[in-house]
Amino acid sequence: MNEHFFQCPYCWEEISVLLDPSIKHQTYIEDCEVCCRPIEFEVAFEDGELVQFEVRDIEQ
């Protein structure tokens, strides 16, 4: 598992997630550990290296 730090798109706090490099492409939703609002993650790995990491707010 790889730890990756990013800013929440709602509260702008720096938080971290654990990413599994054995799964080449992942899209999932997880709540911010600070403000509890839902964040959509899109993550991609190539040869065990993180090549894409995007977070988006999903509230409308």
Side-chain angles (χ1 to χ4, degrees):
M1 298 294 273
N2 294 351
E3 184 175 29
H4 187 75
F5 291 87
F6 69 98
Q7 281 190 317
C8 171
Y10 300 102
C11 68
W12 303 107
E13 289 291 326
E14 184 176 43
I15 56 177
S16 68
V17 290
L18 292 176
L19 304 174
D20 184 353
S22 69
I23 304 171
K24 292 186 186 290
H25 188 264
Q26 308 167 50
T27 301
Y28 62 95
I29 296 172
E30 189 172 308
D31 290 342
C32 172
E33 62 188 46
V34 177
C35 69
C36 300
R37 294 168 84 180
I39 303 169
E40 181 179 33
F41 292 82
E42 188 164 355
V43 179
F45 285 91
E46 283 184 18
D47 300 321
E49 295 292 320
L50 183 63
V51 294
Q52 178 185 10
F53 182 87
E54 295 180 34
V55 293
R56 291 182 280 286
D57 66 65
I58 60 170
E59 293 186 343
Q60 298 182 18

